[in-house]
Amino acid sequence: MKTIVITGATSGIGKELVKYFAQNYSVFAGYRNEDYAKELENLGVKPFYINMTDVNSIKLAAVYIKSQTPKIDTLINVAGCVIAGLMENIDINRIREQFEINTFSHLDFTQQLLDLLDGGKIINISSMASYGIFPFVAPYCASKRALDIMFNSMQLECQNRFKYISIKI
Protein backbone atom coordinates (compact mmCIF):
# COMPACT_ATOMS: atom_id res chain seq x y z
CA MET A 1 0.00 0.00 0.00
CA LYS A 2 1.34 3.43 -0.94
CA THR A 3 1.98 6.02 1.74
CA ILE A 4 0.89 9.64 1.48
CA VAL A 5 1.69 12.48 3.90
CA ILE A 6 -0.56 15.56 3.84
CA THR A 7 -0.07 18.79 5.81
CA GLY A 8 -2.99 21.13 6.40
CA ALA A 9 -5.31 18.13 6.49
CA THR A 10 -8.19 19.53 8.55
CA SER A 11 -9.86 21.97 6.17
CA GLY A 12 -10.28 22.94 2.55
CA ILE A 13 -8.11 21.20 -0.03
CA GLY A 14 -6.17 19.22 2.57
CA LYS A 15 -9.31 17.76 4.13
CA GLU A 16 -10.70 16.75 0.74
CA LEU A 17 -7.39 15.11 -0.20
CA VAL A 18 -7.42 13.12 3.04
CA LYS A 19 -10.96 11.90 2.37
CA TYR A 20 -10.06 10.94 -1.20
CA PHE A 21 -6.82 9.08 -0.41
CA ALA A 22 -7.92 7.48 2.88
CA GLN A 23 -9.88 4.80 1.07
CA ASN A 24 -6.97 3.27 -0.84
CA TYR A 25 -3.73 4.50 0.73
CA SER A 26 -1.91 4.69 4.02
CA VAL A 27 -2.33 8.38 4.88
CA PHE A 28 -0.57 10.51 7.47
CA ALA A 29 -2.67 13.64 8.04
CA GLY A 30 -1.21 16.75 9.68
CA TYR A 31 -3.29 18.83 12.05
CA ARG A 32 -2.61 21.86 14.24
CA ASN A 33 -5.82 21.95 16.27
CA GLU A 34 -6.20 18.98 18.66
CA ASP A 35 -9.98 19.04 18.10
CA TYR A 36 -9.43 17.45 14.66
CA ALA A 37 -7.29 14.46 15.69
CA LYS A 38 -10.25 12.17 16.45
CA GLU A 39 -12.04 13.21 13.23
CA LEU A 40 -8.95 12.24 11.24
CA GLU A 41 -8.67 8.92 13.07
CA ASN A 42 -12.31 8.21 12.21
CA LEU A 43 -11.38 8.58 8.54
CA GLY A 44 -8.90 5.74 8.97
CA VAL A 45 -5.75 7.83 8.66
CA LYS A 46 -2.79 8.39 10.98
CA PRO A 47 -3.04 11.92 12.36
CA PHE A 48 0.10 13.77 13.39
CA TYR A 49 0.46 17.13 15.09
CA ILE A 50 2.36 19.80 13.19
CA ASN A 51 2.48 23.54 13.74
CA MET A 52 4.08 25.14 10.70
CA THR A 53 5.32 28.10 12.80
CA ASP A 54 7.22 25.89 15.26
CA VAL A 55 10.46 24.25 14.09
CA ASN A 56 10.39 21.79 16.99
CA SER A 57 6.87 20.71 16.04
CA ILE A 58 7.99 20.18 12.44
CA LYS A 59 10.92 18.08 13.63
CA LEU A 60 8.74 15.96 15.94
CA ALA A 61 6.22 15.38 13.15
CA ALA A 62 9.00 14.13 10.87
CA VAL A 63 10.40 11.90 13.62
CA TYR A 64 6.94 10.39 14.20
CA ILE A 65 6.37 9.68 10.51
CA LYS A 66 9.84 8.14 10.14
CA SER A 67 9.08 5.87 13.09
CA GLN A 68 5.89 4.64 11.41
CA THR A 69 6.90 4.01 7.79
CA PRO A 70 10.06 3.16 5.82
CA LYS A 71 8.92 5.00 2.66
CA ILE A 72 6.76 7.91 1.56
CA ASP A 73 5.36 7.71 -1.95
CA THR A 74 3.86 11.21 -1.97
CA LEU A 75 4.25 14.24 0.28
CA ILE A 76 1.54 16.86 -0.25
CA ASN A 77 2.30 20.22 1.37
CA VAL A 78 -1.06 21.96 1.72
CA ALA A 79 -0.80 23.99 4.94
CA GLY A 80 -0.74 27.71 4.36
CA CYS A 81 -2.18 31.11 5.15
CA VAL A 82 -2.73 34.53 3.61
CA ILE A 83 -1.48 37.76 5.18
CA ALA A 84 -3.18 40.66 3.42
CA GLY A 85 -3.06 44.42 3.59
CA LEU A 86 -1.23 47.45 2.30
CA MET A 87 2.50 46.74 2.05
CA GLU A 88 3.28 50.08 3.67
CA ASN A 89 1.28 49.07 6.75
CA ILE A 90 1.90 45.34 7.20
CA ASP A 91 4.12 44.68 10.18
CA ILE A 92 7.34 43.03 9.01
CA ASN A 93 6.85 40.23 11.52
CA ARG A 94 3.56 39.30 9.87
CA ILE A 95 5.39 39.10 6.52
CA ARG A 96 8.01 36.87 8.13
CA GLU A 97 5.18 34.70 9.46
CA GLN A 98 3.75 34.44 5.93
CA PHE A 99 7.07 33.13 4.61
CA GLU A 100 7.56 30.86 7.62
CA ILE A 101 4.22 29.12 7.08
CA ASN A 102 3.99 29.09 3.28
CA THR A 103 7.64 28.56 2.40
CA PHE A 104 10.24 27.76 5.04
CA SER A 105 8.15 25.25 7.03
CA HIS A 106 7.49 23.16 3.92
CA LEU A 107 11.17 23.19 3.01
CA ASP A 108 12.12 22.20 6.57
CA PHE A 109 9.56 19.37 6.75
CA THR A 110 10.51 18.07 3.30
CA GLN A 111 14.24 18.12 4.06
CA GLN A 112 13.61 16.02 7.16
CA LEU A 113 11.59 13.45 5.18
CA LEU A 114 13.71 13.45 2.02
CA ASP A 115 15.41 10.13 2.75
CA LEU A 116 11.97 8.44 2.68
CA LEU A 117 11.00 10.09 -0.61
CA ASP A 118 13.46 8.44 -3.02
CA GLY A 119 11.48 7.77 -6.19
CA GLY A 120 8.44 9.53 -4.73
CA LYS A 121 6.58 12.74 -5.41
CA ILE A 122 6.45 16.07 -3.62
CA ILE A 123 3.36 18.10 -4.38
CA ASN A 124 3.06 21.66 -3.15
CA ILE A 125 -0.27 23.43 -3.26
CA SER A 126 0.79 26.79 -4.60
CA SER A 127 -1.08 29.61 -6.28
CA MET A 128 -1.50 31.30 -9.63
CA ALA A 129 -0.80 34.43 -7.59
CA SER A 130 2.85 33.35 -7.53
CA TYR A 131 3.13 34.56 -11.13
CA GLY A 132 1.78 38.05 -10.60
CA ILE A 133 1.80 41.24 -8.66
CA PHE A 134 -1.48 41.66 -6.86
CA PRO A 135 -2.27 44.52 -4.52
CA PHE A 136 -2.97 43.70 -0.88
CA VAL A 137 -1.59 40.12 -1.03
CA ALA A 138 2.04 40.72 -2.00
CA PRO A 139 3.47 38.67 0.91
CA TYR A 140 1.29 35.72 -0.10
CA CYS A 141 2.31 35.98 -3.77
CA ALA A 142 5.99 36.24 -2.89
CA SER A 143 5.88 33.33 -0.42
CA LYS A 144 4.30 31.04 -3.01
CA ARG A 145 6.80 32.09 -5.69
CA ALA A 146 9.69 31.42 -3.33
CA LEU A 147 8.20 27.99 -2.53
CA ASP A 148 8.10 27.06 -6.21
CA ILE A 149 11.62 28.28 -6.93
CA MET A 150 13.20 26.50 -3.96
CA PHE A 151 11.51 23.17 -4.69
CA ASN A 152 12.28 23.30 -8.42
CA SER A 153 15.91 23.89 -7.52
CA MET A 154 15.92 21.13 -4.90
CA GLN A 155 14.59 18.63 -7.44
CA LEU A 156 17.48 19.45 -9.79
CA GLU A 157 20.06 19.45 -7.01
CA CYS A 158 18.82 16.06 -5.82
CA GLN A 159 19.28 14.80 -9.39
CA ASN A 160 15.57 14.07 -9.72
CA ARG A 161 15.46 11.51 -6.87
CA PHE A 162 11.89 12.70 -6.47
CA LYS A 163 9.37 14.30 -8.81
CA TYR A 164 8.26 17.80 -7.85
CA ILE A 165 4.80 19.03 -8.81
CA SER A 166 3.44 22.48 -8.04
CA ILE A 167 -0.34 22.74 -8.25
CA LYS A 168 -1.44 26.30 -8.76
CA ILE A 169 -4.85 27.02 -7.27
Side-chain angles (χ1 to χ4, degrees), residues 29-144:
Y31 67 89
R32 183 183 59 191
N33 183 333
E34 292 285 338
D35 295 341
Y36 292 102
K38 190 68 172 164
E39 181 181 328
L40 291 168
E41 281 179 8
N42 291 339
L43 291 172
V45 302
K46 298 174 187 120
F48 66 94
Y49 176 79
I50 187 166
N51 180 336
M52 304 307 270
T53 64
D54 180 350
V55 294
N56 192 51
S57 169
I58 294 167
K59 179 181 179 179
L60 291 174
V63 166
Y64 168 73
I65 292 166
K66 286 178 161 189
S67 76
Q68 299 296 306
T69 185
K71 181 171 177 30
I72 297 171
D73 296 287
T74 305
L75 167 61
I76 307 174
N77 289 312
V78 182
C81 71
V82 176
I83 306 270
L86 292 168
M87 281 302 299
E88 64 185 294
N89 296 330
I90 301 174
D91 181 278
I92 193 67
N93 290 318
R94 295 207 63 224
I95 296 171
R96 284 187 177 102
E97 178 184 5
Q98 177 77 92
F99 275 83
E100 188 61 43
I101 294 169
N102 287 3
T103 312
F104 305 135
S105 65
H106 295 301
L107 182 60
D108 185 6
F109 191 50
T110 301
Q111 286 175 331
Q112 293 187 49
L113 295 176
L114 206 53
D115 55 332
L116 302 185
L117 279 156
D118 259 353
K121 293 182 189 90
I122 299 169
I123 300 171
N124 286 337
I125 302 302
S126 188
S127 174
M128 292 301 292
S130 71
Y131 291 127
I133 301 168
F134 299 99
F136 312 110
V137 290
Y140 174 76
C141 298
S143 70
K144 290 297 190 174

Side-chain angles (χ1 to χ4, degrees), residues 7-18:
T7 65
T10 59
S11 65
I13 295 167
K15 185 175 185 176
E16 294 305 312
L17 288 169
V18 168

